[in-house]
């Protein structure tokens, strides 16, 4: 199963028999069976035929639209889940309630613990100078369970992230790239550009999982309500950031899968973005990462990261509906 | 399940139809040979569609099942490469 990324402009997406067919300038670019497709992402402009549209909806394959540079525009989602009980439990937990505090503690604990294990692994692999960061991360992680004010938890998250990104540059073992601080909107160096693009892709995948489970993606607990911001997706994404995106960006750079020639920058804003060729490489790596398997510590079985998004969303739903005592964030060693 | 499907169809028109159906379920490897990796549901659907179309007295279709441990032992020399199904680009 794989995702179809369409980055050629002015393509026509049609359906023949039970296949998805992508054509541009009277040439067939791609012809894949629909049984092998689990998502379609359009980067740039494309026409989708009515027959293909209906088929995608019936097979519950989500269709996302993005600009050529990877900004999310919108998404055609198969029918919203009918499970009203999940949504009402989600709304009942809104604000500073016991449940929302516990969930926020889980999100932050998951994120910071994964940050810590990233640094610890790097230390084992022989990078020095990380002790200060690891100590500061531990100092931020320890008080999480005793803290029951969401704003204070946000402060701990900030402190932990600052400690992590303060040392992130040391994890890069490729002379062509460097990292000083995290900067975004726009990212002005290649590493930040990769992180931003990766987080954007991760956001969509997590939002997709949340929709499948039946949550309202706009009501979050760690992230407050803001017009048009899928707060719950951002909440649930926290624990996956280091596991999926950071790990993949680091390995892409350290293994020299991406080179400086895969990037282009804009003269006025200094915004750095990937070239067409670089974007293809990056998407392939991201997809491979998503399909890679590991043993889920709670479920006790093999699963891919793609499945883990949905598993975590379901665990959260179970907690909010009082079917379980705790929400266990995904923490990997 | 992994299935190797071969066919011998006497009539051109019907052969083209069979070819089109099979390309929706797997990959065309050689003339009259397809390799498909299917779930039980998909396999049943495919067999139903083929059943409706075929004339059993003139044509023949063979489905060979490969077990999990035989699948990586398939050796391919030249010809069509196996499609990478983790991600598709266009």
């Amino acid at each position: 199963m794989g995702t179809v990324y369409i980055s050629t402009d002015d393509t026509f997406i049609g359906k023949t028999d039970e296949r998805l067919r992508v054509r541009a300038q009277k040439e067939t670019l791609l012809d894949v069976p629909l049984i092998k497709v689990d998502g379609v992402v359009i980067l740039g402009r494309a026409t989708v035929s009515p027959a293909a549209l209906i088929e995608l909806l019936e097979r519950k394959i989500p269709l996302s639209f993005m600009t050529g540079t990877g900004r999310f525009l919108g998404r055609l989602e198969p029918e919203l889940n009918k499970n009203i009980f999940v949504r009402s439990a989600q709304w009942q937990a809104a604000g500073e309630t016991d449940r929302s505090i516990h969930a926020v503690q889980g999100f932050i604990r998951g994120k910071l613990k994964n940050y810590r294990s990233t640094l610890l692994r790097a230390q084992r692999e022989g990078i020095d100078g990380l002790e200060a960061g690891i100590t500061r991360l531990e100092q931020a992680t320890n008080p999480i369970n005793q803290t029951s004010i969401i704003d204070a938890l946000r402060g701990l998250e900030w402190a932990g992230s600052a400690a992590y990104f303060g040392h992130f540059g040391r994890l890069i073992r490729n002379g062509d790239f460097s990292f000083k601080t995290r900067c975004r909107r726009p990212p002005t160096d290649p590493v930040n550009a990769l992180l931003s693009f990766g987080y954007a892709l991760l956001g969509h995948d997590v939002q997709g999982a949340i929709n499948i489970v039946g949550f309202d993606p706009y009501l979050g607990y760690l992230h407050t309500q803001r017009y048009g911001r899928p707060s719950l997706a951002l909440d649930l994404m926290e624990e996956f950031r280091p596991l999926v995106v950071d790990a993949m960006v680091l390995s892409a750079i350290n293994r020299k899968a991406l080179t400086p020639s895969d990037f282009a920058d804009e003269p006025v804003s200094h915004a750095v973005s990937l070239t067409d060729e670089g974007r293809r490489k990056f998407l392939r790596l991201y997809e491979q990462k998503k399909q890679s398997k590991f043993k889920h510590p709670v479920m006790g079985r093999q699963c891919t990261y793609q499945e883990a998004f949905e598993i975590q969303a379901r665990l959260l739903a179970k907690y909010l509906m009082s079917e379980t005592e705790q929400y266990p964030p995904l923490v990997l060693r | 399940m992994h299935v190797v499907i071969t066919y011998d169809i006497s009539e051109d028109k019907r052969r083209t139809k069979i070819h089109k159906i099979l390309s929706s379920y797997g990959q065309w490897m050689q003339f009259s040979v397809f390799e498909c990796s299917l779930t039980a549901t998909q396999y049943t659907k495919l067999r139903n569609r083929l059943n409706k179309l075929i004339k059993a007295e003139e044509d023949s279709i063979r489905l060979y099942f490969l077990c999990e441990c035989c699948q990586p032992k398939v050796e391919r020399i030249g010809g069509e490469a196996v499609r990478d199904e983790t991600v598709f680009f266009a």
Side-chain angles (χ1 to χ4, degrees):
Chain A
M1 300 286 271
T3 313
V4 180
Y5 289 95
I6 296 158
S7 50
T8 318
D9 261 342
D10 298 312
T11 46
F12 179 81
I13 302 162
K15 180 201 149 207
T16 42
D17 199 66
E18 293 179 52
R19 273 167 291 145
L20 202 65
R21 193 148 171 226
V22 182
R23 292 161 58 84
Q25 270 98 45
K26 292 181 179 166
E27 245 183 273
T28 303
L29 298 175
L30 189 75
D31 193 355
V32 283
L34 277 159
I35 55 170
K36 303 291 178 198
V37 175
D38 58 9
V40 181
V41 179
I42 296 172
L43 299 142
R45 292 184 301 181
T47 314
V48 189
S49 83
L53 215 51
I54 290 170
E55 194 70 22
L56 288 174
L57 287 172
E58 279 192 343
R59 285 172 186 261
K60 305 222 183 294
I61 299 170
L63 172 68
S64 312
F65 292 92
M66 302 218 245
T67 62
T69 48
R71 188 168 60 84
F72 185 58
L73 291 173
R75 183 177 169 95
L76 183 75
E77 193 85 34
E79 183 196 24
L80 190 67
N81 198 298
K82 294 190 181 95
N83 197 341
I84 177 68
F85 303 110
V86 171
R87 253 172 288 163
S88 87
Q90 186 192 0
W91 279 97
Q92 270 163 20
E96 301 255 337
T97 60
D98 289 349
R99 291 198 182 280
S100 73
I101 290 165
H102 176 85
V104 170
Q105 284 173 343
F107 298 141
I108 297 176
R109 197 171 60 237
K111 176 181 185 176
L112 296 188
K113 281 196 170 176
N114 286 328
Y115 274 168
R116 178 168 168 268
S117 47
T118 307
L119 292 185
L120 278 176
R121 191 176 314 120
Q123 199 178 36
R124 276 201 303 276
E125 284 165 5
I127 297 171
D128 7 292
L130 298 174
E131 292 83 5
I134 294 170
T135 329
R136 274 172 61 201
L137 265 172
E138 278 164 2
Q139 281 164 356
T141 317
N142 290 334
I144 286 178
N145 282 344
Q146 285 85 49
T147 313
S148 55
I149 302 161
I150 292 187
D151 270 332
L153 287 165
R154 288 188 186 114
L156 291 175
E157 186 213 354
W158 179 85
S161 302
Y164 172 75
F165 279 113
H167 292 78
F168 189 74
R170 291 177 195 273
L171 307 183
I172 295 170
R173 278 169 293 178
N174 180 345
D176 299 332
F177 292 95
S178 67
F179 178 89
K180 283 195 186 65
T181 56
R182 176 88 180 103
C183 68
R184 59 213 190 97
R185 299 186 186 195
T188 50
D189 65 80
V191 180
N192 275 305
L194 291 181
L195 288 174
S196 291
F197 191 30
Y199 293 148
L201 292 169
L202 178 65
H204 307 150
D205 288 325
V206 172
Q207 193 178 339
I210 283 175
N211 275 330
I212 293 169
V213 176
F215 281 118
D216 181 342
Y218 294 96
L219 176 79
Y221 303 123
L222 172 59
H223 293 82
T224 47
Q225 290 172 34
R226 188 187 288 173
Y227 185 83
R229 179 166 76 178
S231 300
L232 190 67
L234 294 172
D235 284 1
L236 199 62
M237 197 175 127
E238 295 292 0
E239 58 207 73
F240 289 107
R241 284 172 192 259
L243 292 177
V244 181
V245 179
D246 297 3
M248 178 216 133
V249 167
L250 281 175
S251 84
I253 292 172
N254 288 341
R255 288 182 189 169
K256 308 200 172 169
L258 290 166
T259 55
S261 63
D262 288 322
F263 296 89
D265 65 336
E266 269 181 23
V268 182
S269 63
H270 298 294
V272 174
S273 57
L274 283 160
T275 59
D276 274 359
E277 186 49 36
R279 197 167 62 201
R280 272 166 194 248
K281 285 187 203 164
F282 187 81
L283 287 172
R284 189 177 293 276
L285 290 170
Y286 177 72
E287 203 68 22
Q288 279 166 358
K289 182 76 197 173
K290 243 173 36 179
Q291 303 295 340
S292 63
K293 285 192 174 168
F294 64 96
K295 191 174 174 210
H296 194 286
V298 178
M299 310 302 284
R301 63 173 174 85
Q302 289 271 313
C303 67
T304 63
Y305 284 105
Q306 174 102 61
E307 290 162 350
F309 302 151
E310 200 180 320
I311 293 175
Q312 291 304 120
R314 288 199 189 279
L315 288 173
L316 181 63
K318 277 192 188 300
Y319 171 70
L320 292 178
M321 295 199 297
S322 331
E323 284 176 25
T324 51
E325 295 288 301
Q326 284 184 330
Y327 167 71
L330 181 66
V331 177
L332 295 181
R333 302 255 155 252
Chain B
M1 59 183 98
H2 197 77
V3 200
V4 178
I5 303 176
T6 64
Y7 53 86
D8 237 329
I9 314 287
S10 47
E11 198 189 61
D12 286 353
K13 200 173 156 193
R14 209 159 52 234
R15 187 167 54 238
T16 316
K17 280 185 182 167
I18 298 273
H19 179 97
K20 278 187 179 165
I21 292 175
L22 285 170
S23 2
S24 299
Y25 287 83
Q27 196 187 356
W28 186 36
M29 284 314 206
Q30 285 175 4
F31 287 113
S32 331
V33 179
F34 274 85
E35 283 182 25
C36 312
S37 138
L38 304 168
T39 64
T41 337
Q42 288 160 359
Y43 166 71
T44 317
K45 262 179 98 177
L46 171 63
R47 213 182 50 180
N48 263 342
R49 286 191 66 181
L50 292 176
N51 248 344
K52 276 187 199 152
L53 200 67
I54 220 77
K55 278 194 179 149
E57 59 274 20
E58 296 165 39
D59 310 332
S60 79
I61 298 184
R62 296 283 180 268
L63 301 114
Y64 302 99
F65 291 82
L66 286 182
C67 63
E68 288 263 318
C69 55
C70 302
Q71 206 183 311
K73 290 183 197 159
V74 177
E75 200 172 319
R76 300 178 174 87
I77 302 173
E80 204 64 21
V82 182
R83 185 169 50 203
D84 173 12
E85 282 175 352
T86 53
V87 60
F88 305 102
F89 290 109

